[in-house]
Amino acid sequence: MPGNPLRHGNRLLQRVALAAIALAAAVVIAAEAASADVSPEQRKELASLKSDVNKVPAMLRRKEFDAADAALDAAETKLQEIATAAGVATDDRSLLGVAALIGRQREALARLQQKAGNAGGGISFSRDVAPIVADACLGCHGAENPRANLRLDTFVGWKRGGRSGPLLVVGNADNSLLLRALRATDAERRMPKGGDPLSEE
């Protein structure tokens, strides 16, 4: 006479449950191993970075789109630096929370900029100035070759300036090093170096 089918079913259920527990444990261990490359110091940097990105919605409410764009650029740069230092990709599980937060804020910024653009509006750094900087300045002042220690590919670089000092004088554009370099009549001192002067437009 065959054994009790109920008892046989319980054994099968127990085996399936044990297999599921073993699989779950393997997934947890693999996840911990994958995020183990991010050091405690880098986790603190990620927390600080998340805090910085969480300030962007306030900038958006105040319609400080350029500041929000610059803050997100700086956050993306810092996230990439952390990922490189940790030896992981920016889509690594340990970085996904911050990367997703940056992505959501980028989307919100794009929506608001589009709305503002449709309503008319003034000059936008990301829409009007950044393309000119990319074409005329980043060859000499980008990440690969920051001549005179001046990087114009990050917000931090704009703020810090280069060997000659800060680029901008808040509230006094005519005294800003940037405008003096762009408007210089001497071709040796005028930027972009060796290029045609930028138009007044």
Side-chain angles (χ1 to χ4, degrees):
M1 181 160 136
N4 184 346
L6 188 57
R7 188 178 301 159
H8 178 69
N10 283 341
R11 281 191 216 140
L12 181 60
L13 189 58
Q14 287 173 343
R15 287 184 190 155
V16 170
L18 285 173
I21 291 169
L23 180 60
V27 167
V28 168
I29 290 169
E32 287 176 359
S35 64
D37 294 339
V38 177
S39 71
E41 181 61 34
Q42 290 163 338
R43 289 187 196 285
K44 287 180 186 174
E45 290 179 60
L46 285 170
S48 174
L49 188 56
K50 185 176 179 181
S51 174
D52 291 344
V53 175
N54 280 327
K55 295 175 185 171
V56 170
M59 294 176 196
L60 297 179
R61 283 191 297 277
R62 292 188 304 262
K63 297 187 182 344
E64 296 172 352
F65 300 147
D66 291 339
D69 189 43
L72 292 171
D73 284 346
E76 287 172 337
T77 300
K78 184 63 180 172
L79 185 63
Q80 182 61 52
E81 289 171 3
I82 293 169
T84 301
V88 298
T90 53
D91 62 353
D92 184 78
R93 182 178 164 270
S94 58
L95 308 179
L96 274 181
V98 176
L101 181 60
I102 293 170
R104 286 192 302 273
Q105 295 308 325
R106 277 263 177 236
E107 290 170 7
L109 173 61
R111 281 192 307 272
L112 290 171
Q113 284 177 319
Q114 185 177 10
K115 255 181 162 174
N118 291 340
I123 296 173
S124 163
F125 181 86
S126 56
R127 182 188 68 226
D128 302 318
V129 179
I132 296 169
V133 172
D135 290 342
C137 308
L138 293 186
C140 294
H141 300 290
E144 301 299 316
N145 187 18
R147 292 188 187 158
N149 293 328
L150 176 61
R151 283 187 62 180
L152 298 178
D153 61 326
T154 67
F155 178 69
V156 172
W158 279 83
K159 242 178 126 173
R160 181 178 49 230
R163 188 178 308 137
S164 300
L167 285 182
L168 307 169
V169 176
V170 177
N172 192 353
D174 289 330
N175 274 340
S176 293
L177 181 60
L178 177 65
L179 279 183
R180 287 192 311 227
L182 292 174
R183 291 178 174 168
T185 53
D186 177 14
E188 286 297 312
R189 299 185 69 225
R190 186 183 61 237
M191 294 294 151
K193 194 124 184 135
D196 294 329
L198 298 178
S199 70
E200 288 294 321
E201 291 178 20

